[in-house]
Amino acid sequence: MKILKKTMIYLLITIAALAAATYFILNQKKFGKAPSGARLERILKSPHYKNGRFDNLNPTPQLAEDTSMPEVMFRFLFGKADRKTPKKAFHFEKTDLKNLLPNQNVFVWMGHSSYFMQIDGKKLLVDPVLSGYASPFSFTTNAFPGSDLYKPEDIPELDYLIITHDHWDHLDYETVLKLFPKTKKIITGLGTGEHLEYWGCNPENLIELDWSESSDLGNGFKVTAEPARHFSGRGFKRDQAIWASFVFETPNQRIYIGGDSGYDTHFKKTGEKYGSFDLAILENGQYNKDWRYIHFLPGENIKAMKELNAKRMIPVHSSKFSLAVHPWDEPLRKITEMNTENLRIITPKIGENLDWMDDVRIYEKWWEKYD
């Protein structure tokens, strides 16, 4: 009985310690804050907020019906995963973002879903994760060696910072804190602004949009939030902020900023709504058949590009962090192999200065050098 009693005491102490540690971790500021006040009132009126959470347009299981969480975790932790990281460090050239010609249209990919654009004189940055890791903890999900070229100090004064959703690989606490002072307007989905205000962002600088809501930015610039098929959340409670794609319109361009999304009917509907896009930036990587509803499987981004009537596509969401068990270069290999119709799919190196309107330029298969 004494041994059993001691065992129970140790077990209770362990459980209490774990509970205290979890509470301490989840209450760190970087985990953000649940919507409240006027923002919560606005969320409760959203047609996309049902039963205490935001929802997708069509039923979207977190896991495919033919799998289970224990199976997924077993495969992730113990399954064979060849070539999840490059064999050697990347060596890329870094574009100086602070000394661009003011009338130059520029796209610079920073790896994964982070990219800088200069369009018709406006500077914008999308989903910057520039801390070197994409998780709550600096010792996990680290950037591939040589992929983390840019730091917040390299970013010029921004007209717009766009955050598509609040996942750790898209909204980085350390990065945005340093970008607040140099950003005129932050554009994001409804609910995510609670995190940003909690972290010190001036609410007057926030543009928070529900799906199909627009903001006139003046001088011929406009942004509209459109659906995506995904989810949100930085802790245990999910879907308290909406995930979105964004249509960014300028006097001369219409750009589709895809964020994270599984394939669904919204691509065709968005294409029909806007007619065409000069450029679509779509996810390409970190997929798994178990997650097929919330991330593209290979080839589905090509299908989405066609349904959006996009003249060009830049695939992102790869080549910086390993968040799935496929080989690190598989997304780029597959999208080039599956482009049998010779669509204009642009595959730049990280840090490369590109003009997406130049339809003559040929991009090398740079990933083959690191195989």
Side-chain angles (χ1 to χ4, degrees):
M1 283 298 292
K2 287 183 179 180
I3 294 175
L4 179 60
K5 187 175 181 180
K6 284 184 178 180
T7 302
M8 290 300 296
I9 290 171
Y10 289 144
L11 181 60
L12 289 172
I13 290 172
T14 301
I15 292 171
L18 288 173
T22 301
Y23 178 82
F24 172 76
I25 290 170
L26 292 178
N27 278 276
Q28 292 182 69
K29 205 161 188 177
K30 60 186 173 183
F31 280 84
K33 188 170 179 286
S36 59
R39 179 175 285 109
L40 180 58
E41 290 179 16
R42 184 180 166 200
I43 286 171
L44 293 173
K45 295 175 182 176
S46 169
H48 310 112
Y49 191 83
K50 303 167 186 174
N51 301 316
R53 57 186 287 270
F54 280 104
D55 204 358
N56 287 288
L57 294 178
N58 291 310
T60 303
Q62 292 293 307
L63 296 175
E65 299 90 341
D66 55 356
T67 192
S68 66
M69 183 56 74
E71 289 178 290
V72 172
M73 293 304 297
F74 183 85
R75 282 196 292 267
F76 187 79
L77 294 172
F78 305 109
K80 185 179 179 182
D82 294 328
R83 301 172 57 256
K84 284 186 65 179
T85 60
K87 288 182 178 179
K88 53 187 177 181
F90 292 145
H91 293 283
F92 297 128
E93 292 185 17
K94 182 176 174 180
T95 297
D96 182 354
L97 303 179
K98 293 183 177 179
N99 289 292
L100 299 170
L101 296 174
N103 60 346
Q104 183 183 14
N105 282 345
V106 172
F107 181 101
V108 176
W109 183 38
M110 298 175 177
H112 201 64
S113 288
S114 306
Y115 47 91
F116 171 89
M117 300 186 78
Q118 182 172 277
I119 314 174
D120 291 344
K122 299 290 186 182
K123 293 179 173 66
L124 61 146
L125 187 64
V126 177
D127 288 353
V129 178
L130 310 180
S131 64
Y133 61 99
S135 82
F137 312 108
S138 61
F139 55 86
T140 67
T141 322
N142 296 117
F144 298 155
S147 69
D148 200 33
L149 281 186
Y150 288 93
K151 297 299 177 186
E153 294 74 24
D154 299 315
I155 307 301
E157 296 289 321
L158 296 170
D159 295 287
Y160 309 110
L161 171 62
I162 296 178
I163 305 294
T164 61
H165 62 297
D166 69 359
H167 282 160
W168 296 89
D169 60 322
H170 292 258
L171 174 55
D172 182 50
Y173 173 69
E174 292 183 18
T175 299
V176 296
L177 283 187
K178 295 176 180 178
L179 293 178
F180 286 158
K182 60 173 72 177
T183 303
K184 294 178 183 176
K185 293 290 181 184
I186 299 179
I187 300 165
T188 192
L190 178 58
T192 302
E194 191 79 28
H195 301 315
L196 300 171
E197 281 191 44
Y198 178 52
W199 296 339
C201 176
N202 184 343
E204 294 182 0
N205 295 341
L206 273 173
I207 298 173
E208 244 177 311
L209 301 173
D210 199 353
W211 290 343
S212 300
E213 290 183 344
S214 299
S215 178
D216 187 339
L217 304 173
N219 299 315
F221 290 83
K222 179 182 177 181
V223 67
T224 305
E226 294 292 355
R229 193 182 198 187
H230 200 55
F231 67 106
S232 67
R234 296 176 72 81
F236 290 134
K237 193 169 185 180
R238 291 181 168 184
D239 304 335
Q240 299 308 294
I242 204 164
W243 47 98
S245 60
F246 290 92
V247 176
F248 189 81
E249 297 177 271
T250 81
N252 300 298
Q253 299 278 307
R254 183 181 294 121
I255 310 293
Y256 183 83
I257 296 169
D260 277 1
S261 180
Y263 179 77
D264 204 358
T265 56
H266 64 276
F267 292 105
K268 189 172 190 300
K269 291 176 181 177
T270 302
E272 291 170 347
K273 178 177 177 178
Y274 291 92
S276 66
F277 290 91
D278 295 286
L279 174 67
I281 305 154
L282 298 174
E283 73 156 66
N284 179 54
Q286 320 317 313
Y287 48 74
N288 186 307
K289 66 181 182 66
D290 300 322
W291 313 330
R292 59 179 175 262
Y293 292 105
I294 55 175
H295 285 291
F296 285 139
L297 292 178
E300 290 181 328
N301 42 16
I302 295 176
K303 185 176 181 180
M305 174 191 181
K306 292 165 66 176
E307 291 185 346
L308 288 166
N309 301 314
K311 299 174 185 175
R312 308 164 187 89
M313 187 241 283
I314 299 177
V316 297
H317 211 247
S318 71
S319 305
K320 188 170 184 177
F321 306 111
S322 180
L323 301 174
V325 295
H326 58 66
W328 76 270
D329 60 343
E330 183 180 278
L332 289 168
R333 284 192 290 106
K334 283 192 175 259
I335 199 170
T336 51
E337 291 167 1
M338 298 176 82
N339 183 18
T340 56
E341 298 178 55
N342 200 30
L343 302 171
R344 185 59 175 166
I345 298 177
I346 302 169
T347 53
K349 302 172 188 174
I350 293 173
E352 185 174 5
N353 181 342
L354 71 89
D355 176 1
W356 65 89
M357 299 289 287
D358 181 356
D359 291 326
V360 177
R361 181 176 174 181
I362 297 173
Y363 293 86
E364 65 177 292
K365 296 179 180 179
W366 61 266
W367 51 93
E368 294 179 348
K369 294 180 180 179
Y370 299 93
D371 187 6

